[in-house]
Amino acid sequence: MLLSTGTRTLQDQLFHRDLPRVREALGVGATMALLKGRSNYVCRHHLRRNLAEGRFERREDVAVLRRIERFAAISASGDRSEAPGIAEDAPAWAHATSTRENCLGQDCPDFADCFVFKARQAAQQADIVVVNHHLFCADLALRDEGVAELLPTTDALIFDEAHQLPEIATQFFGRSVSTRQLAEFARDLLRVGLADARDAADWAQLAGTIEQGLRVLRLAAGRPGRLDAQQLRGHAALREAVGDLVAALALPALAAAAERSRDLARLRVRAAELAQGLRSWLAGLDPDADAQRFRSALDAPAGAPGEAQDESPAQHEDADSPSILWAEVHQSGVTLHRTPLSVAGTFRRHRESAARAWIFTSATLAVAGRFDHFTSAMGLEEVRTLCWESPFDFAQRALLYVPRHCGDPASPRFAHQVAAAAWPLIEANRGRAFVLCTSLRMVEQQAALLGERIRQSGLEIELLVQGQASRPALIERFRTLRSPVLVGSASFWEGVDVVGPQLSLVIIDKLPFAAPDDPILRARIDAMRRAGGDPFREIQLPAAAMALKQGAGRLIRSETDRGVLAICDERLLARPYGRRLVASLPPFPITRDEEDALAFCVVGAGALSATPATSDDRPAAGRS
């Protein structure tokens, strides 16, 4: 049996805590294995080589790498999550792990002691293998290309947190080339060239040409944001910069020197793969090719709109689904994407390839009691669905509060109104709150506005803000502080489990509709309209309902939990489509009265004083 879940943290929880309890309760002796992507395991070869060559951007990396070296010498797994006192996101790990691009495989001198190889061997022999969705999708992509699979073939597949699968699969079954990948290649070209074939070429000049091309590309790309195919076709400078990088990757000196070492041979393959990815992306921007791709969009199933990946295989494009060409511009780099419009055909093909059970579970798969959105995205035509109500007593132990005066979320004053509505609740609850925002911009605004109110109040409330530290560090600090308030965006909406009164207030700024500048969403909306469908009801609203349910799910985590969920978006009750969103949430009593919400806070009155919402407060059927 293969059990796949959403994150590496959940993998560890399932493997080390939950599954042993189940095995003990059932009295079975099933063997288990935990398997993660290669970037989670120490690579002895790269660790040793990088320590020997000593080229690091940060002086502290050397000390951290020495600690990793000592950990690898005594560890049975080499799993970075087990390294004591070394943060999993420490930059030094990049020098102590391998990637698909630079792994030497069976040619590696350390192959016999390879942690990745040993973990995969154990997985092949185990009765139950625990993986994550990124690794599972990487395995499917490799199988499509005829490459040896990463994971064993099993009779049953169980997907925990299955609502994440369509988005993760969309990442894996597309193609992308980033300036980060190219910069890493240039650094490796210089390092390996000087070490293994110093006399073969001017490696500094060759690497420098690529690095200069990356600077030109980033400058040409302009301000951070997302560019769709239409915008890219009018962006001659960006396309020219990509073409120059293709030329810079034509490295005859590398081809001539490739036989002199394993690392040089691997670099030659990497150069070819990167150049092909860039050429394919440029070719896809040809208007005639684009029109041909989108003719098939009318019949393609609509998917859901799309946290570091475990594997980066040379990804497979589903022949049944057209691709979306777009670019993502960051402050420090650019990623060029070729993304499938739908992954339904891919999953349908893999399900039909072998007779086995596919089981999808999640607290947020259903939207108003229906699974259509998920089954469409995953190509599930014949499927049995079951939905169980939560065992928690929401009617007595929780309250949904929708403030009356936050106004239009598009208003420039909206952030101030959210803070004004949130502060009395935070004050009454003495912190112990999550403020979940739908954008990083709102995180910054709420951090500033609430921070000022905390200073003025003189209360001993500590404000934690996304970006101040890693996500695990912020959550752990939240658990230990007396009166914390954490302000965060998407990564804090799910996968966070704080039980008890420590988290007894969750405030959501607005309904989590996907950003309108998302090229994937725009393309799917366009395809749905061409097919005569209703993209709002069939794509945007279900996605928002699942996201809202995830955020709301942070509040009640046990039978004894109690608290207030505040959603500062009047559209939840004022717009007709709000009924579907409310129906997708747990059965909270609803109030619009601030006094009811304040009384319900943990340190407040205690008894449920809010009355059910009136008919005026509840959304009507239909849609405007």
Side-chain angles (χ1 to χ4, degrees):
M1 182 181 78
L2 195 71
L3 175 55
S4 180
T5 190
T7 65
R8 293 185 296 270
T9 301
L10 287 174
Q11 268 187 279
D12 290 332
Q13 176 182 312
L14 283 168
F15 182 78
H16 294 293
R17 189 185 75 182
D18 299 339
L19 285 176
R21 291 178 179 173
V22 173
R23 187 170 57 178
E24 181 180 357
L26 296 177
V28 296
T31 59
M32 300 188 306
L34 179 67
L35 184 60
K36 302 177 182 179
R38 74 175 73 241
S39 64
N40 292 277
Y41 301 96
V42 176
C43 172
R44 299 181 192 274
H45 173 70
H46 288 289
L47 173 61
R48 184 175 60 253
R49 183 161 195 168
N50 284 319
L51 277 171
E53 294 176 357
R55 294 188 178 93
F56 306 109
E57 297 177 5
R58 291 163 291 271
R59 297 177 62 182
E60 60 269 22
D61 284 354
V62 179
V64 177
L65 283 176
R66 290 296 181 193
R67 294 171 63 189
I68 294 173
E69 183 182 39
R70 292 192 292 273
F71 161 72
I74 62 173
S75 174
S77 69
D79 186 339
R80 68 163 75 184
S81 69
E82 299 176 6
I86 305 173
E88 289 189 55
D89 57 355
W93 281 111
H95 302 288
T97 57
S98 67
T99 64
R100 178 185 178 273
E101 289 82 7
N102 64 24
C103 176
L104 300 179
Q106 295 185 13
D107 293 329
C108 180
D110 295 286
F111 184 71
D113 293 321
C114 175
F115 289 119
V116 174
F117 177 67
K118 289 180 179 178
R120 291 178 180 173
Q121 272 191 321
Q124 292 291 338
Q125 299 166 4
D127 297 316
I128 302 172
V129 183
V130 183
V131 301
N132 59 59
H133 299 338
H134 290 95
L135 188 58
F136 177 80
C137 290
D139 178 67
L140 293 190
L142 290 174
R143 290 178 190 234
D144 274 339
E145 295 172 4
V147 180
E149 59 267 19
L150 302 170
L151 307 178
T153 300
T154 62
D155 294 330
L157 302 171
I158 300 177
F159 299 93
D160 177 41
E161 302 291 347
H163 65 280
Q164 298 179 5
L165 260 179
E167 180 179 346
I168 292 173
T170 296
Q171 299 169 17
F172 271 91
F173 295 111
R175 298 177 184 270
S176 64
V177 180
S178 68
T179 53
R180 177 191 58 78
Q181 289 174 292
L182 291 161
E184 288 176 355
F185 171 80
R187 288 194 293 270
D188 289 346
L189 180 68
L190 176 60
R191 176 178 60 79
V192 176
L194 292 176
D196 296 354
R198 182 179 290 271
D199 60 326
D202 185 347
W203 300 108
Q205 188 270 329
L206 295 175
T209 299
I210 297 172
E211 290 170 343
Q212 174 60 22
L214 294 175
R215 288 191 287 270
V216 172
L217 174 60
R218 176 60 192 90
L219 188 62
R223 299 174 59 183
R226 295 177 174 184
L227 304 172
D228 62 21
Q230 182 176 354
Q231 292 169 309
L232 291 166
R233 291 190 188 99
H235 209 318
L238 186 148
R239 289 186 286 110
E240 183 179 353
V242 174
D244 289 344
L245 281 168
V246 173
L249 289 167
L251 297 163
L254 177 60
E259 296 182 358
R260 296 174 64 168
S261 78
R262 298 184 183 94
D263 286 315
L264 284 168
R266 187 60 198 143
L267 278 173
R268 181 186 183 185
V269 174
R270 286 172 65 187
E273 290 176 346
L274 289 167
Q276 177 56 32
L278 294 174
R279 280 194 296 267
S280 174
W281 186 83
L282 282 173
L285 289 175
D286 177 79
D288 293 333
D290 184 70
Q292 180 63 35
R293 283 196 311 276
F294 273 85
R295 286 192 188 101
S296 62
L298 298 179
D299 301 320
E307 176 199 30
Q309 299 176 356
D310 286 309
E311 296 285 332
S312 301
Q315 293 133 326
H316 172 81
E317 181 180 350
D318 187 350
D320 299 327
S321 178
S323 293
I324 304 159
L325 276 293
W326 59 290
E328 194 168 15
V329 183
H330 304 284
Q331 199 66 44
S332 58
V334 181
T335 303
L336 311 176
H337 296 278
R338 185 186 185 107
T339 302
L341 187 68
S342 169
V343 295
T346 298
F347 276 99
R348 186 183 301 113
R349 185 174 62 251
H350 282 284
R351 285 198 319 279
E352 293 172 351
S353 67
R356 52 182 177 173
W358 293 62
I359 302 168
F360 303 92
T361 70
S362 172
T364 56
L365 277 186
V367 176
R370 298 182 61 87
F371 295 83
D372 305 48
H373 178 65
F374 180 78
T375 57
S376 174
M378 296 294 293
L380 302 170
E381 288 82 15
E382 296 180 5
V383 59
R384 181 187 179 195
T385 62
L386 294 171
C387 189
W388 290 276
E389 294 300 322
S390 170
F392 303 147
D393 185 2
F394 288 94
Q396 295 298 319
R397 306 200 65 84
L399 180 68
L400 170 58
Y401 168 48
V402 183
R404 294 182 184 276
H405 306 299
C406 288
D408 184 354
S411 166
R413 294 288 304 169
F414 182 68
H416 292 267
Q417 301 286 27
V418 169
W423 175 247
L425 300 173
I426 292 171
E427 189 174 29
N429 205 55
R430 296 178 188 168
R432 294 180 286 186
F434 271 13
V435 180
L436 300 178
C437 303
T438 51
S439 69
L440 291 175
R441 173 61 177 158
M442 182 62 89
V443 169
E444 295 173 358
Q445 291 175 315
Q446 291 305 309
L449 292 166
L450 293 175
E452 180 59 29
R453 288 177 180 268
I454 290 171
R455 286 189 291 273
Q456 292 178 355
S457 71
L459 296 175
E460 294 182 356
I461 293 175
E462 182 157 350
L463 186 65
L464 305 175
V465 182
Q466 179 175 335
Q468 286 179 341
S470 68
R471 178 177 178 270
L474 286 173
I475 294 170
E476 185 57 33
R477 185 155 178 76
F478 183 92
R479 288 192 176 107
T480 58
L481 290 171
R482 183 177 179 183
S483 302
V485 172
L486 189 151
V487 183
S489 63
S491 62
F492 291 91
W493 283 62
E494 59 182 291
V496 179
D497 189 22
V498 181
V499 179
Q502 186 68 9
L503 178 53
S504 46
L505 172 61
V506 172
I507 300 167
I508 293 175
D509 65 337
K510 63 178 181 178
L511 301 181
F513 287 106
D517 67 340
D518 184 345
I520 301 173
L521 176 61
R522 283 208 301 268
R524 287 174 172 164
I525 288 174
D526 182 61
M528 177 68 71
R529 284 177 178 151
R530 290 169 186 256
D534 183 339
F536 179 79
R537 282 188 173 275
E538 297 179 54
I539 298 177
Q540 294 165 280
L541 191 58
M546 288 198 295
L548 186 63
K549 193 172 181 180
Q550 282 289 341
R554 297 317 97 211
L555 182 64
I556 303 298
R557 307 298 299 175
S558 76
E559 290 85 350
T560 58
D561 279 8
R562 186 176 186 282
V564 173
L565 169 66
I567 301 177
C568 303
D569 191 333
E570 297 183 39
R571 293 178 297 175
L572 182 67
L573 300 180
R575 296 290 180 88
Y577 60 75
R579 175 179 290 277
R580 192 173 177 191
L581 295 174
V582 171
S584 297
L585 292 172
F588 290 93
I590 303 173
T591 186
R592 303 209 68 184
D593 192 322
E594 183 184 80
E595 292 304 316
D596 286 342
L598 293 175
F600 200 81
C601 286
V602 170
V603 296
L608 178 62
S609 58
T611 56
T614 66
S615 57
D616 292 335
D617 288 331
R618 288 192 178 277
R623 177 192 157 209
S624 58

